[in-house]
Amino acid sequence: MLLLECPWCGGRNASEFAYAGEPMPRPDPESAGPAEWRGYLYLRANRCGWTRERWYHRAGCRRFFEIERNTQTHELRPVGGGAGGPDE
Amino acid sequence: MSEPMPMPMSMRLPAQPGEVIDREERFSFSWNGRSYPAYSGDTIASALAANGVRIFSRSFKYHRPRGLLTASHLDPGCTIQVGEEPNVRGAHRLASPGLDVRSQNTWPSLRYDVKSVNRLAGRFLSAGFYYKTFIKPRRLWPAYEKVLQRFVHGGVIPDRPEEHDAEARFYDKRYAHPDVLVAGGGPAGMAAACAAAEAGARVLLVEEEHRPGGHLRWGDAADLTLLAELRERVSAAGVEVMCDAVVLGRYDDNWVAVVERSPAGPAFERLVKARAETLVVAAGQIERPYVFAGNDLPGVMLSTAVRRLVNLYAVRPGERAVVLTANGSGDAAAADLSRVGVDVAAVVDARHGEDVVRADGRGGVRWVELGDGRRVDCDLLVTATGWTATTALLNMAGNRPVYRPEAARFVPDLDTLPDTVVATGGVVGDGTREALCEHGTAVGEEAARRAAGAAEQSGEVPSRAWPGVKGAEGARAPSAPHPKRPDAEGLTPEPHPELIHGRTHGFVDLCEDVTSKDLLSAVEEGYDSAELAKRYTTATMGPTQGKLEILNVVGILAEATGRTIQEVGTTTWRPPYAPVTLGALAGRRLEPVRHSPMQRWHEEHGAVPLVAGAWIRPDHYGDPGAEAANVRENVGIIDVTPIGKLDLQGPDVAKLLNLLYVNKWSKLEVGRVRYGVMCAEDGVVLDDGVTGRLGEDHYLMSTTSSGAAAVWEWVELWLQTEHPDWRVHVTPVTTAYASINVAGPKSRELMERVTTGVDLSPDAFPYMRVRRGSIAGVDDCVIWRIGFTGELSYEIHVPSAYGLHVWASLLAHGEDLGVAPFGIEAQRILRLEKGHLIVGQDTDGITQGYSADLDWAIKLDKPDFVGRPELAWQRQRGDHPRLVGLLPLDADTVPPEGCQLVEGAEIVGRITSSRRSPTLGRAICLGQVAAHLAEPGTEVTVRLPDGRLTGARVAEQLASVDPEGARLRV
Ligand SMILES: [Zn+2]
């Protein structure tokens, strides 16, 4: 089980968290057409390598936070930190 | 029909220096119904062997007699039934007084096994047995299944295990947070554990056997001296030692699963979930069997089995032995045998090219044919042909083992391991006991150093001293890992001849009865990849999962396909490392439930419980129809505590409500409540409820009972990620209040009798208003005038500690008004009569807002709200299903919820809610129907569960009772 670093609580078991997926910028609801809006709803990059994802510390501080995770190695690092993975 | 009774303990030797049995404590237990003596410390197998028992089981496919091979927990020939527990490792489980032990896979008896006729039918049970046999004709499958069931592995589980001690005994779970977890308690593992603990680390040492020590236990005097010293040090250093426990797997970030097989206390087994800063893998080596004709006969044993039997249990493994040896362990076994008076008829030295061709005999070894043609009579053939490094845990940490032909084994490639995983002992290489301890010590110190570094990095509080960790004035270590791996030096695999099989064919996998010939047939049939051949023949698929036989399988496949062993490659070890009971994984049955503060009253008054998620609620108190009628005529009270409640405070709450609800909120005045619907960004209905404005910046939001947790998260998601600048403070108060709905034409009268500080008159407190006041003497109650049931009603939220008091007061004060409790079922009838939808019942995971008759609520003229674009497009398309009221043409037939609406072969909708209305005396429904059927008056066809078709007419509106709402507004 992954050990996730909650910015508020420190390292905790992944089972304490809910995975909230890749953060997607919300399109302007006034101008977005169906294609753009549904991309926001359903399309995720699901990259092999470093991804940015959102977690919710459900059984802890109840904060949403973002973290970078390498989907190939399960390495974790703070957003914007780290020493340059393959996609940096 | 059973085995002749040998002399009691006829094979027991005089006291041995390292024996683990206590001769002072003698008892008896039963084996296949007959009593046998044993000493405390004996395993079931060692006790039976001491009594001359040679056959322990019948093999899986051919029902060949099997004896001891490894005399350890891995022994494939010694899986037995102990009482009600099947598949017990007989060479590991300790004997105890009165134990009822039986052999498995035998009928009618171990000695005269009827199923051994399979041997004659070997043709049908060869490679691909599962895929070729019993396939055609398909119609005979049920008969084949019955035949096959007789040949499966395993013993018998009791019919109703729950009836046995279920209260007193259970499977337990525990968490552990060691700095250093050492897997394997041999000399290197013990040395590593000591070194780490002495450096200040919290250490957990896990050992699969009953005591730590590894091969020192069956060694010479110097080994035993060192063993005693190490055990002393382990105890003095404060290492937590778990014996008869095994590491099942290593997962991400050193999440390590351990199962304790015989924990102290009432638990059968205990699953330990450990998060280790550093994992030290000291899992040692496993001796490999040799492949030749007759290699599965009782009396063919590995050298380590002989050494265990003689030195740990003082058991004479046979009378006359042949020893095939290629290493020191074989030599030592031969010496052990000579020392205790076994006639060693021949020592066959494989290092000099000598070999064993076959062993034969009925029921056990009687003679052996050697490579030079000699035939030697004996009842014991010992083989010492090589080792397998136990790399499974290292594999699980990402390591791929490399084959070293000069040592004839796969060894770990340590450089590919993460810094948090280190290895020591036999899994790395060979060495003297001193070299093993030295290596273990170095690795243990480094493991502690890395753990200290991790503790420092994570800012552990309170900080601990790490007296043995160098480089930080005895306190803290530099957090950077050591540049060089501590485990890479000091132990190297010794040269060893590559011995896999002899000149004849024999068994490769003794669990699954797979022979070397089967592997060759599989390759001939085209299954030339190792993974395919393994699956086709089921080699390595048995309980030992390849721990004994993997290199033999790989070696034979390599030879047959003209590749090298490295090219064929070893198996990828996956968790679990060892077989584990489902009970240990499942743990105790702990299912928390939630009750309202009024639960005791409900129970005392005959409430029939309804399980609603985690909540247990009264479904009814005997007659839901009468309960509903009483609400229409007099006044009823219902416990609605599970309704989700969020206290929202701050200047930006109105913005939040405007964003999350499809309707408008900015003009909600203080003292008013409003019904709201939430949709998700895809326009699908998410939840509904009323929210009241208690003060300028203070709101109380209610949600559906099942949606309480999800809505809280939903609110937090939007506040935290999209609008962190909005000033809203969210407090879940669902269980801070007990909630009661007081409904019916006499509800105002009842409320007036118990309420103080609130003017309840219709003008002062009209429909859809909120007030705060005191009820039955309880201050700080919130009163909403709303009407889910369609009647004049007040929903009151009282501090939960007073819930029962207020409930009882309402009943006491309303006796003359006919007040009576009503349950969920009556509420469902009432709300259906009123046509109020239930999210999740009248909507599902794809129901968008306009399909739930919410056109009146959805305000597309709001600039933005969650789900607005999708709702706008849904409305534009106009082709969506509609939620409508449906009146069955046959007033007495209530179509069950979920019935399809059909138009010929097409499904055009479904019944979402249905009940018999006590008020109208007829069946009423809600349903989702295709757009073209939504006009009032349209007749639709309902398909009942039994296939009959019946009709229903689309009603003018969802409500069947009081559509104008006159009863609500009185
Ligand atoms: Zn947290």
Side-chain angles (χ1 to χ4, degrees), chain B residues 27 101 158 241 261 305 312 383 536 583-584 594 634 687 693 856 925:
Chain B
F27 54 83
V101 185
V241 182
R261 299 204 192 276
L312 298 182
T383 68
Y536 187 56
R594 309 179 84 178
N634 298 308
D687 204 80
R693 189 171 187 182
W856 62 275
C925 308

Side-chain angles (χ1 to χ4, degrees), chain B residues 181-199:
Chain B
L181 191 151
V182 182
M190 289 171 88
C194 291
E198 285 158 8

Side-chain angles (χ1 to χ4, degrees), chain B residues 848 850-851 855 860 870-883 929-935:
Chain B
Q848 292 181 306
Y850 286 102
S851 291
D855 309 40
L860 291 178
E870 286 291 354
L871 290 169
W873 296 323
Q874 188 198 15
R875 183 157 175 257
Q876 223 167 46
R877 284 192 313 271
D879 58 353
H880 49 272
R882 262 68 165 185
L883 184 68
V929 301
H932 69 280
L933 299 171
E935 267 311 299

